[in-house]
Amino acid sequence: MMDHVEVVKGSQGAAEKSKQAPNQQEIVSFLALGGLGEFGMNCLLIQSPIARVLLDCGVMFPSPEHLGVDAITPDFSVLGEQPLDALLLTHGHEDHIGSIQHLLRWSAERGWPTPLRVIGSRFTLALVRRRLEEARLLSSVRLELLQAGEIMELGDLQIEAVRVHHSVPDALAFAIDTPIGKIIHTGDWRIDSRPLLGDSTDLPRFGEIGSEGVRALFSDSTNVDVEGFSVSEAVVAEHLSDVLDLAPARVFVTLFSSNIARMQSLLRAAHATHRKVVLYGMSMKQNFAVARELGYITLPSPDILLDEAQMRQLPQDELVVLCGGSQGEPSSTLARIAFGDHADFRVCASDTLVFSSRSIPGNEKRIARVVDAFHRQGARVVLPTERRVHTTGHACAEEQRLLIGLLRPKLFVPVHGDFRQLTRHAELARSMGVEQTYCFSNGELLSLGEDEVKLARHHEPSHNYTIGKLFRGADDELLRQRRHLAHNGCVCVAIRVNRSGELLAEPRIRDFALVIEPNGLMAGLQRLIRSSVKDYDGPWEEEALSEHLRGEIRRYFSKQIDRRPVVLPLVLLE
Amino acid sequence: MMDHVEVVKGSQGAAEKSKQAPNQQEIVSFLALGGLGEFGMNCLLIQSPIARVLLDCGVMFPSPEHLGVDAITPDFSVLGEQPLDALLLTHGHEDHIGSIQHLLRWSAERGWPTPLRVIGSRFTLALVRRRLEEARLLSSVRLELLQAGEIMELGDLQIEAVRVHHSVPDALAFAIDTPIGKIIHTGDWRIDSRPLLGDSTDLPRFGEIGSEGVRALFSDSTNVDVEGFSVSEAVVAEHLSDVLDLAPARVFVTLFSSNIARMQSLLRAAHATHRKVVLYGMSMKQNFAVARELGYITLPSPDILLDEAQMRQLPQDELVVLCGGSQGEPSSTLARIAFGDHADFRVCASDTLVFSSRSIPGNEKRIARVVDAFHRQGARVVLPTERRVHTTGHACAEEQRLLIGLLRPKLFVPVHGDFRQLTRHAELARSMGVEQTYCFSNGELLSLGEDEVKLARHHEPSHNYTIGKLFRGADDELLRQRRHLAHNGCVCVAIRVNRSGELLAEPRIRDFALVIEPNGLMAGLQRLIRSSVKDYDGPWEEEALSEHLRGEIRRYFSKQIDRRPVVLPLVLLE
């Protein structure tokens, strides 16, 4: 029960140590712009005496409460004025590369030199290239390939790419030699001894690095609550084959469109069960195309893939439809199929739907709605909680222990998770004999000397909310206003009045999303406006009269219907 | 994999049977107003040749997408014109009694005779009495006590109350003798052989009823996905004692305010570990008071309860704070404590927070936010997924099998669950040898003869949305408008113009929750309005000109910021 208290003690102990006046020349500092205490938006600034590198630049997907927000990106202003030397990418998932175009726009505004060096693996760079071509920003970067096993020099940093296994091809950890010792950042990783795509995590190399001595390890905390080892993709492929084999007719499979290994598993399972595969969904098709072009996906038979027209010729029991929408997104292929809104499909009782994906927290209810819609139409739904039709891309507790055991860092910093997960990952590291652990949070500056550790609040952590074309279209206050608007509706009123307080025209009123069946509410409002203007004894200025009207109208609705709609009065004073 | 297909076959077989012209005099029909394919709002009309009884009248709690809705209640209009003979209540949870006041208002509008007979157990009626006193509707009902083991006649129905165990005291199942045989409705139930409060489910009586023959069983499907037996409250009480014993200082425990048995467990655990208890939250205190007054709660020592003032005198390690907010509700005691917004408490590192409750689907993310806030402040959080600090109130699969085995109904109708759960519960019943099962849904009319079964769509299922004082303040279209408003913000515009198309004043513009940093957006809008009025060549009527302006302004924002705010133009035409 005392675990957390120990974390705090550890932190205090370190703070005292830092008073031993570290040598300013031998400090490497870390500033998290995102990814700590939250899901997504992974972004970490690493600053040595000479080099300034950003490690990953991810996006966070908006929740339903982020009303109208298209993407949440780091607040790059905490990077300050000094340009970056490079952006280093662990792998090609959106929560690690999705904010690159925002970073580039932001650095262009500041007049930072271009091109920015963007360093990553082959598959990662292929995704970045596509993204930046679409955003017409490819000329702002120089893409530099760093393959597993290779080392790149960047100022006083030697950056070694170490192969890790994850649910996207070509994922890397970085082992960075710095003036204060070796720093390891795992990126997202797990161990799969029987990967279907690419090789597994390079444990031998991690073993060697551990023997050389590790100053600090930053590691992925996602699955710290899950005991044991993650399940191999090979097992998932077997279970998918079983499901396809037993399904009486058509099978829909939904998965993350970035899960290239799963696409490969499904192609194999379809081939083994004499089915053909059709892909639905833009990003599914795009990711598939990139992976196939680069040779990460191999077709088990040349005719396994069908297009929509070929699909219509095929008997139902020979068909597998891969589609996006595993999170129940309302506009996705899957949701449109579920709710009878898709041109090509009507759910029928012989259908099977397979969720080859997990639920991202916050999406449970809309996923359940899709599941229920299939059930209602008599279809069978296979969930990952019932059969092994999905496996995680992140290390479970036993894998985390194994890596910590291999690397034996002096300092352990859990990353990539909410505070609960970070706290537990720190506890896990201490149980493995690591003496110093830090539950680092967004906006904090962690400064390491060879022995010293210093932790300081640097910035209040913040986000940028993209709305439509506006990179910074909203802030928390605007979202608060939107919530108020959404819960109460709005009323706008225009009056024409002269300085004697005479109304020169009938007040015009429009309400929107207020209530149905207002039953005389608006007639009462007309009377209220007339009497409010008549009784008004403030200054004859438009703004003052507006404020008066706003207050009166709000009180009126509060009394009549116990609601506080947004009131927008427009006064034309003559 | 074929399970669901069998359900459909069963249903078709029954539909054929119904063509054997049943005797109209011997039909009992069932119409679900809610609770099927959704969580909450349990409400079932039972109609015999003579009697018309509503079984339960629950509310559904709004989700975040139900913007501004206070409560979701059944659409009582499907009850038609004929008055009810009685309302029969299984137990006192909100999802079974929460819409009674709405039913009473609705029936008053229709001029149905009062008082309505409301039949239930002692604790259930105590909660109903309090609710109707507050709503000033107590005179509209006659509360009639029906205790476990008693039988009440209602027209051609003999209604026997059978004791079941649930997480609220005094829960009942009903065994109803009808002209077509015995119908059992379980309400919410489970088996607890070591209940801390009240007796367990009356299995011997269910055994006797089974021997007498059961025409149809309607049973709670909530936990069909959970194999085995539910855990006893006695086990939870032991684990709570452990947690209180090991906690270094203050302990916050959050639970459902209706979970009277859990309050009793916590009082005992606190007593055993030499702690005192303070209650926070209005409905927690109210339910506690009712339960204590009726003798359902006994204090293990007279001084175990403290008020807020006494609490301040107590050492931290002797305190247990019971508080509402187990679902992360933003205005709850717990959320306010978590986010530093509560007058009496500041979270500190020695605190322990215990979730003695489950997550209701849809609330996962806001619960996680509360958990994370405690973690961030160094506190320890104990979740029911880690320790047995909560148990369900609903039967798990093995209990469901046991009851079906005791009752051996001719027809099984799963209720209380989403379609997935209903489907699986029907499968479970068939695996127990029940020949006929029906996955009944809201709005359907299920008509039973002695042998025949007929299923017909009766009404499109619908809801009423309560907003403020308006019992029917919103519909799905209004909620769609609110979502649009919330995702796009709004702009209102007033212009004064004459019939020659001259603007007689500067256009007035107000936007709300549109974007931050609009950078010239509004100056551009002024110009747009001027040119739109100038170019307008439609009829000089306010509505037509408004429509024209609305279209132009929408196109403007769509082009400028890729958003479609709600545009409310007010035209003063002279």
Side-chain angles (χ1 to χ4, degrees):
Chain A
M1 301 285 296
M2 300 286 296
D3 297 343
H4 188 91
V5 178
E6 288 170 24
V7 179
V8 172
K9 277 183 193 157
S11 164
Q12 287 167 338
E16 278 161 32
K17 267 197 181 172
S18 72
K19 290 172 191 158
Q20 299 163 6
N23 178 348
Q24 283 299 327
Q25 292 309 302
E26 293 185 0
I27 287 284
V28 174
S29 63
F30 302 84
L31 173 66
L33 281 73
L36 304 179
E38 65 193 6
F39 294 101
M41 215 174 81
N42 296 285
C43 190
L44 179 71
L45 176 69
I46 305 176
Q47 181 152 356
S48 73
I50 296 177
R52 221 169 123 73
V53 176
L54 201 60
L55 191 144
D56 287 338
C57 188
V59 77
M60 182 152 65
F61 294 108
S63 305
E65 82 249 33
H66 294 119
L67 296 161
V69 170
D70 296 315
I72 307 173
T73 61
D75 175 10
F76 295 114
S77 67
V78 305
L79 291 176
E81 294 305 315
Q82 197 189 333
L84 292 171
D85 295 311
L87 170 62
L88 197 57
L89 300 173
T90 60
H91 64 285
H93 276 155
E94 287 287 315
D95 56 335
H96 293 258
I97 66 167
S99 289
I100 297 182
Q101 64 272 43
H102 301 102
L103 171 67
L104 293 174
R105 291 212 183 90
W106 184 86
S107 61
E109 281 173 22
R110 255 136 216 84
W112 284 5
T114 54
L116 176 66
R117 298 173 67 179
V118 176
I119 301 162
S121 67
R122 205 158 61 98
F123 189 71
T124 307
L125 293 187
L127 295 181
V128 170
R129 172 184 295 277
R130 200 189 57 192
R131 158 183 302 274
L132 295 183
E133 273 169 357
E134 279 171 14
R136 297 180 186 186
L137 286 167
L138 193 57
S139 61
S140 307
V141 298
R142 191 171 74 219
L143 300 179
E144 297 185 25
L145 184 63
L146 181 64
Q147 310 223 62
E150 293 178 349
I151 295 176
M152 180 178 277
E153 302 238 340
L154 237 160
D156 51 358
L157 305 178
Q158 281 85 46
I159 301 172
E160 175 184 352
V162 182
R163 191 180 61 235
V164 291
H165 184 77
H166 186 45
S167 50
V168 69
D170 242 4
L172 299 176
F174 294 111
I176 308 176
D177 261 328
T178 77
I180 55 119
K182 192 161 282 198
I183 307 293
I184 316 290
H185 194 295
T186 62
D188 292 2
W189 72 285
R190 72 171 183 117
I191 296 170
D192 189 340
S193 308
R194 294 186 289 156
L196 280 199
L197 195 155
D199 296 313
S200 190
T201 296
D202 191 351
L203 296 177
R205 181 61 194 137
F206 279 120
E208 288 166 10
I209 292 171
S211 309
E212 295 160 12
V214 172
R215 177 67 190 91
L217 168 61
F218 294 72
S219 181
D220 170 7
S221 310
T222 311
N223 275 337
V224 68
D225 284 328
V226 186
E227 256 312 322
F229 250 80
S230 61
V231 170
S232 172
E233 184 67 27
V235 175
V236 172
E238 286 162 21
H239 282 255
L240 285 171
S241 278
D242 269 7
V243 169
L244 296 191
D245 195 29
L246 292 170
R250 189 169 59 180
V251 182
F252 296 98
V253 182
T254 184
L255 64 159
F256 294 110
S257 66
S258 60
N259 198 337
I260 307 298
R262 188 63 39 77
M263 292 181 192
Q264 183 70 70
S265 299
L266 277 158
L267 288 174
R268 289 198 195 182
H271 181 66
T273 57
H274 312 292
R275 289 173 181 265
K276 307 287 183 199
V277 174
V278 61
L279 296 172
Y280 268 80
M282 181 74 85
S283 67
M284 188 77 73
K285 285 182 180 178
Q286 283 184 344
N287 286 335
F288 187 90
V290 172
R292 204 178 152 196
E293 193 184 310
L294 296 181
Y296 291 100
I297 281 184
T298 50
L299 301 188
S301 67
D303 61 345
I304 187 110
L305 281 180
L306 301 182
D307 62 26
E308 288 86 340
Q310 292 168 318
M311 174 186 82
R312 290 190 190 92
Q313 313 301 319
L314 203 71
Q316 298 270 305
D317 61 351
E318 294 179 20
L319 184 63
V320 180
V321 181
L322 296 201
C323 56
S326 68
Q327 300 308 304
E329 302 91 329
S331 60
S332 65
T333 305
L334 184 64
R336 286 186 291 127
I337 295 171
F339 302 119
D341 200 27
H342 197 286
D344 295 350
F345 303 105
R346 283 284 162 275
V347 178
C348 56
S350 60
D351 283 340
T352 304
L353 166 62
V354 181
F355 276 83
S356 190
S357 56
R358 72 174 183 117
S359 304
I360 292 177
N363 297 337
E364 293 85 351
K365 200 154 180 171
R366 62 187 197 183
I367 294 172
R369 225 171 270 139
V370 168
V371 171
D372 232 39
F374 270 80
H375 270 287
R376 198 175 301 216
Q377 295 165 89
R380 164 96 176 148
V381 182
V382 180
L383 298 178
T385 46
E386 301 167 335
R387 302 207 171 216
R388 291 218 178 278
V389 290
H390 178 61
T391 185
T392 177
H394 301 271
C396 297
E398 207 51 57
E399 292 156 88
Q400 292 171 339
R401 288 191 192 97
L402 193 148
L403 187 73
I404 292 167
L406 282 175
L407 289 172
R408 287 154 287 155
K410 278 169 75 174
L411 169 69
F412 179 78
V413 184
V415 291
H416 207 284
D418 62 23
F419 277 101
R420 172 178 175 76
Q421 292 162 336
L422 302 181
T423 306
R424 295 193 65 147
H425 203 188
E427 288 166 13
L428 179 146
R430 283 198 301 281
S431 78
M432 292 294 296
V434 176
E435 284 181 18
Q436 286 189 326
T437 64
Y438 290 92
C439 284
F440 192 25
S441 57
N442 293 340
E444 268 178 351
L445 188 73
L446 171 67
S447 300
L448 301 186
E450 262 183 71
D451 293 300
E452 308 78 14
V453 175
K454 197 167 130 185
L455 208 56
R457 172 60 62 181
H458 185 259
H459 278 274
E460 263 313 297
S462 177
H463 299 137
N464 282 337
Y465 299 111
T466 298
I467 287 194
K469 293 180 179 175
L470 299 173
F471 163 48
R472 190 165 170 267
D475 56 11
D476 288 321
E477 171 57 19
L478 185 112
L479 293 185
R480 201 197 55 69
Q481 289 179 357
R482 289 190 164 192
R483 274 190 287 279
H484 181 80
L485 192 55
H487 282 82
N488 296 275
C490 69
V491 176
C492 84
V493 168
I495 61 165
R496 208 183 131 209
V497 66
N498 67 17
R499 282 159 207 278
S500 317
E502 282 173 275
L503 278 173
L504 304 174
E506 188 75 5
R508 305 298 199 271
I509 302 173
R510 276 187 198 270
D511 64 292
F512 189 81
L514 184 63
V515 288
I516 57 169
E517 301 178 358
N519 295 337
L521 209 53
M522 292 305 151
L525 183 59
Q526 279 278 3
R527 288 192 296 274
L528 174 92
I529 293 169
R530 293 186 165 280
S531 68
S532 297
V533 173
K534 205 171 139 198
D535 301 344
Y536 179 66
D537 59 0
W540 286 100
E541 290 157 12
E542 291 193 356
E543 205 42 52
L545 182 52
S546 283
E547 268 315 301
H548 171 72
L549 270 180
R550 189 202 309 272
E552 294 284 307
I553 296 171
R554 288 180 69 147
R555 270 187 291 282
Y556 171 78
F557 284 108
S558 183
K559 191 173 161 210
Q560 294 291 322
I561 58 167
D562 195 17
R563 273 297 175 278
R564 296 175 194 287
V566 170
V567 177
L568 302 172
L570 299 166
V571 174
L572 293 116
L573 182 62
E574 290 173 26
Chain B
M1 303 286 295
M2 300 285 295
D3 297 343
H4 188 91
V5 178
E6 288 169 26
V7 179
V8 173
K9 276 184 193 156
S11 163
Q12 287 169 337
E16 278 161 31
K17 267 196 182 172
S18 72
K19 290 174 190 157
Q20 299 162 4
N23 178 346
Q24 283 299 328
Q25 292 309 303
E26 293 186 3
I27 288 284
V28 173
S29 63
F30 302 84
L31 173 66
L33 281 73
L36 304 180
E38 64 194 6
F39 294 101
M41 217 175 79
N42 297 284
C43 191
L44 179 70
L45 176 68
I46 304 177
Q47 180 153 357
S48 72
I50 296 176
R52 225 169 120 73
V53 176
L54 201 62
L55 191 144
D56 287 338
C57 188
V59 78
M60 182 153 65
F61 293 108
S63 305
E65 84 249 35
H66 294 120
L67 295 161
V69 170
D70 295 315
I72 307 173
T73 62
D75 175 10
F76 295 115
S77 66
V78 305
L79 292 175
E81 293 306 316
Q82 197 188 333
L84 292 171
D85 295 310
L87 171 62
L88 197 58
L89 299 173
T90 59
H91 65 284
H93 275 155
E94 288 287 315
D95 56 336
H96 293 258
I97 65 168
S99 289
I100 297 183
Q101 63 274 42
H102 301 103
L103 172 67
L104 294 173
R105 292 213 183 90
W106 185 85
S107 61
E109 281 174 21
R110 255 137 215 83
W112 285 4
T114 53
L116 176 67
R117 299 173 67 180
V118 176
I119 301 161
S121 67
R122 205 158 62 99
F123 189 71
T124 306
L125 293 186
L127 294 181
V128 170
R129 173 183 295 279
R130 198 188 61 193
R131 160 183 299 274
L132 295 183
E133 273 169 0
E134 279 171 15
R136 298 180 185 185
L137 285 166
L138 194 55
S139 61
S140 308
V141 298
R142 190 169 77 218
L143 300 179
E144 297 185 26
L145 185 62
L146 180 65
Q147 309 224 61
E150 294 178 348
I151 294 177
M152 180 177 278
E153 302 238 341
L154 236 159
D156 50 358
L157 304 177
Q158 281 86 48
I159 300 171
E160 175 183 353
V162 183
R163 190 180 64 234
V164 291
H165 184 78
H166 187 45
S167 49
V168 69
D170 242 4
L172 300 176
F174 294 112
I176 308 178
D177 261 327
T178 77
I180 55 120
K182 194 161 279 197
I183 306 294
I184 317 290
H185 194 295
T186 62
D188 291 1
W189 73 285
R190 72 171 183 117
I191 296 170
D192 189 339
S193 307
R194 295 186 288 158
L196 280 200
L197 194 155
D199 296 313
S200 190
T201 297
D202 191 350
L203 295 178
R205 181 60 194 137
F206 280 121
E208 289 165 10
I209 292 171
S211 309
E212 295 160 13
V214 173
R215 176 68 188 91
L217 168 62
F218 293 72
S219 182
D220 170 7
S221 311
T222 311
N223 275 338
V224 68
D225 285 327
V226 186
E227 255 315 321
F229 251 78
S230 61
V231 170
S232 172
E233 184 67 28
V235 174
V236 172
E238 286 162 21
H239 282 254
L240 285 170
S241 279
D242 269 7
V243 169
L244 296 190
D245 195 31
L246 292 170
R250 189 168 60 179
V251 182
F252 296 99
V253 183
T254 185
L255 64 159
F256 293 110
S257 66
S258 60
N259 198 337
I260 308 297
R262 188 63 40 76
M263 292 181 192
Q264 183 69 70
S265 300
L266 278 157
L267 288 175
R268 289 199 194 181
H271 181 66
T273 57
H274 313 290
R275 288 172 180 265
K276 308 286 184 200
V277 174
V278 62
L279 296 173
Y280 267 81
M282 181 71 85
S283 66
M284 187 76 73
K285 285 181 181 180
Q286 283 183 345
N287 286 336
F288 188 89
V290 172
R292 204 178 153 196
E293 193 184 311
L294 296 181
Y296 291 100
I297 282 185
T298 51
L299 300 189
S301 68
D303 62 344
I304 186 112
L305 281 179
L306 300 183
D307 62 24
E308 288 85 340
Q310 292 167 318
M311 174 186 81
R312 291 191 189 90
Q313 314 301 318
L314 203 72
Q316 298 270 307
D317 61 352
E318 295 179 20
L319 185 62
V320 180
V321 181
L322 297 200
C323 56
S326 68
Q327 301 308 304
E329 301 91 328
S331 60
S332 66
T333 305
L334 184 63
R336 284 184 292 126
I337 296 171
F339 302 119
D341 199 26
H342 196 285
D344 294 353
F345 304 104
R346 284 282 163 275
V347 178
C348 57
S350 60
D351 284 339
T352 303
L353 167 62
V354 181
F355 276 82
S356 189
S357 57
R358 72 173 183 117
S359 304
I360 292 177
N363 297 337
E364 293 86 351
K365 199 154 181 170
R366 62 188 198 185
I367 295 172
R369 225 171 270 138
V370 169
V371 171
D372 231 40
F374 270 81
H375 269 287
R376 198 177 301 218
Q377 293 164 91
R380 164 94 174 150
V381 182
V382 179
L383 298 178
T385 45
E386 301 166 337
R387 301 205 173 219
R388 290 218 178 278
V389 290
H390 178 61
T391 184
T392 178
H394 300 271
C396 297
E398 208 52 57
E399 293 157 88
Q400 292 171 338
R401 287 191 192 97
L402 193 148
L403 187 73
I404 292 168
L406 282 175
L407 290 172
R408 287 153 289 153
K410 278 169 74 175
L411 169 69
F412 180 77
V413 184
V415 292
H416 207 284
D418 62 22
F419 278 102
R420 174 179 172 75
Q421 293 163 334
L422 302 181
T423 306
R424 295 192 63 149
H425 203 187
E427 287 167 13
L428 179 145
R430 282 199 301 282
S431 78
M432 292 295 295
V434 176
E435 284 182 15
Q436 286 188 327
T437 63
Y438 291 92
C439 284
F440 192 25
S441 58
N442 293 341
E444 267 178 350
L445 187 73
L446 171 67
S447 300
L448 300 186
E450 263 184 68
D451 293 302
E452 306 77 16
V453 174
K454 198 168 130 185
L455 209 57
R457 172 60 63 181
H458 184 258
H459 278 273
E460 262 313 298
S462 177
H463 300 137
N464 283 336
Y465 298 111
T466 299
I467 287 195
K469 293 180 180 176
L470 300 174
F471 162 48
R472 188 164 172 269
D475 56 11
D476 288 319
E477 171 57 20
L478 186 114
L479 294 185
R480 201 197 54 72
Q481 290 179 357
R482 289 191 165 191
R483 273 190 287 278
H484 181 81
L485 192 55
H487 282 81
N488 295 275
C490 67
V491 176
C492 83
V493 168
I495 61 165
R496 206 182 134 210
V497 65
N498 67 16
R499 281 161 206 276
S500 318
E502 283 173 273
L503 278 172
L504 304 173
E506 189 76 4
R508 307 297 200 271
I509 301 173
R510 277 188 197 270
D511 64 292
F512 190 81
L514 184 64
V515 289
I516 57 170
E517 301 178 359
N519 295 338
L521 208 52
M522 292 306 151
L525 182 60
Q526 278 279 2
R527 289 192 297 273
L528 174 92
I529 292 168
R530 294 187 165 279
S531 68
S532 297
V533 172
K534 204 170 141 201
D535 302 343
Y536 179 66
D537 58 0
W540 286 100
E541 290 157 11
E542 290 193 355
E543 205 43 50
L545 181 54
S546 283
E547 270 315 301
H548 170 74
L549 271 179
R550 188 201 310 273
E552 294 283 307
I553 295 171
R554 289 180 68 147
R555 270 187 291 281
Y556 172 78
F557 284 109
S558 182
K559 192 175 159 206
Q560 294 292 321
I561 58 168
D562 195 16
R563 272 296 175 276
R564 296 175 193 286
V566 170
V567 177
L568 301 172
L570 298 166
V571 174
L572 294 117
L573 183 61
E574 290 173 26

